[in-house]
Amino acid sequence: MTAYDCDVLVIGGGIVGLSTAYALTQASPGTRVTVLEKEDGPARHQTGRNSGVIHSGIYYRPDSLKARYAVRGAAEMVAFCAEQGIPHEVTGKLIVATERNELPRLHALVQRGRENGIPVRELGPAQIAEYEPEVRGLAAIHVGTTGVCDFPAVAARLAELSGAEIRYGTEAVRISRRPDAGVAVRTSTGAVLRARALVNCAGLHCDRVARLAGDEPGVRIVPFRGEYYDLARPGLVKGLVYPVPDPAFPFLGVHLTRGVNGGVHVGPNAVPAAAREGYDWRTIRPAELASTLTWPGSWRMAGRHWRYGAGEIHRSLSRRAFTEAVRRLLPGVEESDLHPTSSGVRAQAVLRDGTLVDDFLIREAPRTIHVLNAPSPAATASLPIGREVARRALEVLGAARV
């Protein structure tokens, strides 16, 4: 009989992996859970390098996983932060149309918000000024359920509450599955861990981990770097201000975010990264860049959206161009007001035909659950995502014991 080191082995110590570990032990006390995280602490990538926004769910197609989990997750995240004493605030936000051709999209967002059960208030220019005196626009909507929080603190608390064994500085380098012996994972430390079930929450590396397990994910993670600036005059912005997004893209555009520390983040843009963890233009990892360039979907995506991409790259390389983009919302901002700060990388799954996967993507394989697309709003939605992944993993355990 096989001796198992744990019941469920989770690869990835970001907020989704740690929420899954927490959900497993909450739903089935006594379940032995081990989390492998290659960094020396939790939440070092997508979780810890975003704008800290608790999203309302207004952008997402009704009945999609993103819509359902973001709406539910936003309320749960606020409650969790309040219960655990984690810094947070329900600020509300404005989505502002600055050009007439954006008005139909703004009105469509109003309808989508109502379909998703989100309170939305329509505003004219004078009402915009009541919320944000320095912001200019033709029309806007106010979304009351949006907030901000400290997501790295949430991830750290989930790690504590889960009771899981968490091995930091430990990367999965080889995975073997056998129907009668569960899953064996060799780690970068040389240890071999045996589990009844495997959960892949590896974020930027989730497709690579799926292939390590012998599964073809059908998608490739194409990394997009989002670059941020700190606003030197945070008094220009009272809360959260967003442009009307382009429905062809999952990116929300350059926005203004007052965080829990009182500072204001400006960004992000969305530029291709030359590495999965390519937080600046200097970081190039040839094997990872080759993975992007040899994927047919990357070229098909580029062929469709090259104009959008060229604009994003221009704003990345020119602070003046970035400032001009911000001035659409905040006319009083000066180039000297923008101070570069840490960037993030979005793990965007792209299909072979060049389509950007626009919903969370969770797939199952023998004894394995793969989370293959969980960019924003995954931090907001992490508690319901974790419960869903845990439910599937517990079903695997039940079947394995029959």
Side-chain angles (χ1 to χ4, degrees):
M1 180 177 292
T2 301
Y4 294 103
D5 299 291
C6 60
D7 296 310
V8 181
L9 182 63
V10 179
I11 297 177
I15 199 168
V16 172
L18 294 170
S19 176
T20 298
Y22 171 71
L24 282 163
T25 57
Q26 290 290 298
S28 180
T31 300
R32 296 175 301 155
V33 180
T34 297
V35 178
L36 302 184
E37 169 53 51
K38 68 183 181 63
E39 306 297 348
D40 59 5
R44 297 299 168 88
H45 295 291
Q46 288 187 111
T47 304
R49 288 175 168 268
N50 60 52
S51 53
V53 174
I54 303 173
H55 288 285
S56 65
I58 191 171
Y59 300 109
Y60 313 116
R61 178 174 45 82
D63 294 325
S64 65
L65 291 180
K66 279 189 175 181
R68 290 190 284 119
Y69 289 176
V71 172
R72 189 182 313 156
E76 292 182 11
M77 186 59 65
V78 170
F80 183 86
C81 289
E83 180 182 309
Q84 299 298 325
I86 294 170
H88 70 288
E89 185 178 357
V90 180
T91 57
K93 78 172 176 184
L94 297 186
I95 303 174
V96 181
T98 58
E99 298 179 9
R100 290 197 174 278
N101 63 8
E102 294 173 334
L103 293 175
R105 283 186 271 147
L106 187 70
H107 295 319
L109 278 178
V110 172
Q111 181 60 31
R112 176 160 286 189
R114 289 170 178 163
E115 290 176 3
N116 287 340
I118 299 164
V120 177
R121 183 184 174 209
E122 298 181 72
L123 309 177
Q127 294 164 307
I128 293 172
E130 291 175 10
Y131 284 99
E132 294 285 351
E134 300 296 330
V135 170
R136 297 292 179 268
L138 300 176
I141 58 179
H142 181 260
V143 186
T145 53
T146 303
V148 290
C149 76
D150 185 341
F151 283 126
V154 172
R157 191 60 52 86
L158 288 169
E160 294 171 7
L161 295 174
S162 71
E165 177 192 10
I166 302 179
R167 299 193 181 193
Y168 294 117
T170 305
E171 183 174 0
V173 297
R174 187 174 178 183
I175 300 172
S176 174
R177 283 187 308 216
R178 285 187 245 168
D180 59 341
V183 183
V185 176
R186 182 176 295 279
T187 75
S188 54
T189 66
V192 176
L193 298 176
R194 290 177 172 81
R196 297 178 187 275
L198 177 71
V199 172
N200 168 15
C201 293
L204 287 159
H205 302 277
C206 63
D207 57 336
R208 183 179 62 82
V209 169
R211 288 191 294 275
L212 278 180
D215 298 319
E216 174 46 56
V219 299
R220 186 68 49 88
I221 294 298
V222 175
F224 286 89
R225 183 171 61 257
E227 296 160 336
Y228 290 92
Y229 291 86
D230 284 329
L231 189 63
R233 292 188 288 158
L236 291 174
V237 179
K238 292 184 175 297
L240 278 61
V241 184
Y242 281 64
V244 180
D246 186 331
F249 297 94
F251 313 110
L252 299 179
V254 172
H255 47 270
L256 310 164
T257 305
R258 178 174 288 276
V260 291
N261 64 356
V264 173
H265 260 33
V266 184
N269 54 8
V271 297
R276 301 282 177 114
E277 295 161 19
Y279 296 114
D280 54 49
W281 285 108
R282 297 183 301 276
T283 303
I284 301 172
R285 294 182 179 166
E288 294 177 2
L289 180 58
S291 174
T292 296
L293 296 178
T294 58
W295 182 242
S298 298
W299 294 100
R300 290 168 180 156
M301 174 185 63
R304 290 175 198 159
H305 305 305
W306 67 270
R307 290 182 187 275
Y308 180 96
E312 294 291 292
I313 291 171
H314 178 51
R315 285 185 285 274
S316 172
L317 298 175
S318 167
R319 192 180 306 187
R320 177 176 295 179
F322 192 98
T323 304
E324 286 301 318
V326 178
R327 281 182 179 148
R328 292 181 56 199
L329 292 170
L330 192 67
V333 74
E334 301 291 342
E335 190 174 338
S336 59
D337 289 325
L338 301 179
H339 296 173
T341 188
S342 58
S343 299
V345 176
R346 178 189 180 98
Q348 177 62 52
V350 177
L351 297 174
R352 182 174 287 274
D353 67 2
T355 302
L356 284 72
V357 178
D358 67 353
D359 204 359
F360 298 138
L361 180 61
I362 304 170
R363 287 184 174 161
E364 298 182 33
R367 291 183 177 263
T368 306
I369 313 297
H370 297 293
V371 181
L372 294 172
N373 194 58
S376 179
T380 296
S382 55
L383 292 172
I385 293 174
R387 282 198 304 275
E388 173 61 18
V389 176
R391 180 189 68 77
R392 298 189 191 201
L394 290 171
E395 287 183 353
V396 172
L397 294 186
R401 287 170 175 147
V402 172

